[in-house]
Amino acid sequence: MAKKEFILQGFTAKTHCEAIARLFDVPGIQRVIVSVAFVNRSGTELLKHQLKKYAAKTKAFIGIRNDITSTQGAKHLLDLGVSLLLVDTGSRSVLFHPKLYLAKGAEHARLVIGSANFTMGGLNNNIEAGFAIELDLKNSDEKALVEGIEKEFDALTKDYPDHVIPITKAAELDALQATGRLIDEMTTSPPRPASAATSPTGDTLRRIKLKVIPLRRALAAAKKPAAKPATPPPAVKKTAPAKKGAASPLPPPVPGVEYELVWESKGLTRRDLNIPDGKNTNSTGSISLDKGLLPMAVDHRHYFREEIFPDLSWGPSNTKTVEEAYTKFQLVLKGISYGEFDLRIAHTKGTTSAAYKQNNAMTRLSWGPLRDYIGREDLLGRTLALYRDKADPKRFVLEID
């Protein structure tokens, strides 16, 4: 008799990652089938040890042309040795969407089926539902169920040879990325706010606290924008320069369609958001651009000035050891855009100060006119994401979600 366990990830402490990892405890594994709509590198990292051990027996059917499955995630599966098949429906409005994980042994099989994709969100962070089922292959009905699953997936390459694509080389994935069927995790679409506002909204709902601890993926370090060939600037109508710190009219200009996620903070604190508690939190008017979720190898003391903001017009400030620049940031809070602002960035020069030697942040972003927008209790514990426009490296988006 099959043993069944219901997983309600998030609202309970059970996760799909743990349930899928247990699949690989089946004695004498003969084959593994993975079928999901979406894959990214942070998801494959969570189960890389199990996949590597049984790669020769694992076949993964992964949906593409969905703006989520990434080249990095697919390449990681390929590097682990998994037999990789990408399912391309030829349409963005018809998705390959089944989420199923099966491990079959000589006498037993385990199956996880539900809503969880092969992403960090699907395996751990999101609210997901599914069933973990343990099957006895000595039982004819349960054996027939497993064989039926195998038969259906084995038939896909024969029945849909143009749409189920076996992948054996990384170059094939690069070609799919070039045609928009896989995404590059280093490039992301700009936040798409649900609406716009000119003043803080009445939405004070705090982020839900689930029973599963959220995981955060380490970011890949962004690189200094490539130098562009000098070309005469286009003729434009002269307008009065924007006052520093002033917001532009809504909707904010969006010159580019591709952004890079170049930094993400850890959970925002009262000090970050300039919310004094009256005891030991001082309102600094700015936020430190520190290590955040950057890889350990990245030196944040140099990263922002040299890699993220090198194209700005830097100049001296009132302090000899500090230089400053102003540039444009669009502010998006909980899906609401509040327009674009000119904000000050300050960077402390030199490498001999005590603060530098203690690995403190050398670059700070002044909130300026944003102080009235971000000083909110409901933003505590969320993360701040910094995006750079790939078309205009002097334009950025700040998103707290």
Side-chain angles (χ1 to χ4, degrees), residues 9-12 124-127 207-214:
Q9 179 176 291
F11 287 142
T12 70
N124 188 86
N125 292 356
N126 294 343
I127 299 168
R207 191 173 214 169
I208 191 169
K209 291 185 177 180
L210 299 175
K211 295 181 180 179
V212 172
I213 299 173

Side-chain angles (χ1 to χ4, degrees), residues 17 39-51 72-73 76-77 80 118-120 123 217:
C17 185
V39 164
N40 60 27
R41 179 65 186 253
S42 61
T44 58
E45 282 285 340
L46 292 176
L47 292 165
K48 64 181 180 182
H49 299 299
Q50 292 88 346
L51 288 170
Q72 288 86 347
H76 192 211
L77 290 175
L80 291 170
F118 212 159
T119 63
M120 184 176 284
L123 297 180
R217 67 182 180 95

